[in-house]
């Protein structure tokens, strides 16, 4: 169900961290609770009920101050580390940056990745690594004794993979930019959905059994969510 919301561009608050000031966009909408989020582009958004007084927002932000500052700082550090990737001067391959150039011979080469337009990135990665990622997923399926109906690779804007009720698994091509650890986590995560379509205790118990390091790897995977926004 879509919630009705009203944005007031003039309504914003600030959080201070020493000399730095972090702007917070306020979105008033039909809801009973207050939430705050820090997106991978560094924007901070607070959602709250329509008539909530400013003093309540200030109190909430004061309680969440350290959490917001930490996550905002993490985003800024990550943007600095991957600035060339964000600026389309490099692209990640197996977790390592490689120069990205614009030319007439799209492909992935030992010394560079080459594209004509930004939209070429998906096709370039699918051509170079799409079958390899699917082969690895089928290898894991054999190893863990699961039987998905199909496995394919495509682009998604907000998720690394999905599994439908018929057992079809789809993996985001951006996984090819990451290491085997992140790829394994997403694939096994979707395999768990063949048995549990939710994220219940039973789901997590199975994932813990199959991939004990999943929580540690998940944190690293979360740090690459900016790739979903960047390329899809």
């Amino acid at each position: 169900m879509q919630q009705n919301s009203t944005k007031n561009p003039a309504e914003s608050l600030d959080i201070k961290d020493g000399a730095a000031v972090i702007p917070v966009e306020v979105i008033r909408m039909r809801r009973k609770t207050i939430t705050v989020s820090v997106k991978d582009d560094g924007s901070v958004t607070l959602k709250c009920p329509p008539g909530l007084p400013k003093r309540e927002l200030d109190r909430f932000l004061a309680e969440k101050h350290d959490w917001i500052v930490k996550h905002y700082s993490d985003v800024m550090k990550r943007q600095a580390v991957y600035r060339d990737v964000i600026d389309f001067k490099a692209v990640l391959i197996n977790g390592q940056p490689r120069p990205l150039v614009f030319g007439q011979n799209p492909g992935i080469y030992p010394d560079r990745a080459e594209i004509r337009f930004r939209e070429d990135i998906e096709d370039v990665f699918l051509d170079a690594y799409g079958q390899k990622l699917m082969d690895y997923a089928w290898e894991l399926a054999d190893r863990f004794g699961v039987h998905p109906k199909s496995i394919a690779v495509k682009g998604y804007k907000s998720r690394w993979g999905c599994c439908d009720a018929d057992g079809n698994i789809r993996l985001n091509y951006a996984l090819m930019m990451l290491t085997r650890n992140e790829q394994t986590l997403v694939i096994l995560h979707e395999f768990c959905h063949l048995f549990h379509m939710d994220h219940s205790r039973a789901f997590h118990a199975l994932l813990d059994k199959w991939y004990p390091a999943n929580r540690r790897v998940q944190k690293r995977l979360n740090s690459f969510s900016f790739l979903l926004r960047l390329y899809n």
Side-chain angles (χ1 to χ4, degrees):
M1 179 180 296
Q2 185 175 6
Q3 291 180 305
N4 295 324
S5 64
T6 56
K7 286 189 179 182
N8 181 356
E11 187 172 13
S12 64
L13 300 171
D14 291 330
I15 291 178
K16 294 184 178 180
D17 178 32
V21 176
I22 304 173
V24 180
E25 180 187 18
V26 177
I27 299 177
R28 297 185 178 272
M29 56 197 314
R30 294 179 58 185
R31 58 185 298 139
K32 295 181 179 180
T33 58
I34 313 174
T35 61
V36 64
S37 62
V38 181
K39 297 181 181 179
D40 57 54
D41 61 358
S43 61
V44 183
T45 302
L46 184 150
K47 297 180 180 180
C48 65
L52 200 68
K54 180 179 179 297
R55 64 177 179 275
E56 291 297 322
L57 303 184
D58 290 337
R59 179 189 61 78
F60 178 83
L61 288 178
E63 292 177 353
K64 297 292 185 179
H65 176 275
D66 291 348
W67 182 92
I68 295 170
V69 168
K70 178 185 182 303
H71 283 73
Y72 180 83
S73 177
D74 289 345
V75 169
M76 293 298 103
K77 291 176 182 177
R78 188 159 59 248
Q79 287 189 357
V81 171
Y82 295 108
R83 174 51 54 192
D84 283 349
V85 174
I86 294 171
D87 291 342
F88 288 89
K89 296 178 181 178
V91 66
L92 291 176
I93 299 176
N94 296 323
Q96 298 298 318
R98 189 173 300 184
L100 177 66
V101 300
F102 289 83
Q104 297 303 313
N105 300 295
I108 295 178
Y109 304 95
D111 62 337
R112 72 192 188 282
E114 185 170 331
I115 57 175
R116 291 169 300 176
F117 310 101
R118 293 183 180 183
E119 293 77 14
D120 291 337
I121 289 179
E122 179 174 351
D123 289 339
V124 164
F125 269 84
L126 286 173
D127 288 344
Y129 302 115
Q131 188 60 52
K132 293 179 181 179
L133 183 60
M134 286 188 286
D135 289 345
Y136 179 60
W138 283 114
E139 176 187 325
L140 287 178
D142 290 340
R143 188 186 310 173
F144 287 89
V146 299
H147 305 283
K149 184 176 181 181
S150 68
I151 298 175
V153 181
K154 60 176 294 184
Y156 283 111
K157 292 183 178 180
S158 60
R159 54 187 175 182
W160 293 105
C162 70
C163 175
D164 66 24
D166 293 325
N168 298 298
I169 289 175
R170 301 292 179 263
L171 304 172
N172 196 316
Y173 81 93
L175 280 172
M176 306 172 202
M177 302 176 184
L178 306 183
T179 70
R180 238 351 168 216
N181 288 335
E182 289 83 37
Q183 295 171 7
T184 301
L185 170 62
V186 172
I187 293 168
L188 293 183
H189 181 112
E190 301 310 329
F191 284 175
C192 287
H193 281 314
L194 295 171
F195 303 92
H196 308 284
M197 288 302 293
D198 53 15
H199 292 106
S200 61
R201 289 184 179 180
F203 169 91
H204 285 291
L206 183 57
L207 186 57
D208 287 341
K209 177 182 177 181
W210 283 352
Y211 199 19
N214 72 86
R215 286 174 172 80
R216 173 178 58 79
V217 178
Q218 183 67 55
K219 289 182 180 180
R220 178 167 171 79
L221 180 66
N222 292 343
S223 72
F224 289 109
S225 61
F226 72 93
L227 295 176
L228 303 178
R229 174 177 54 84
L230 194 65
Y231 296 122
N232 294 292

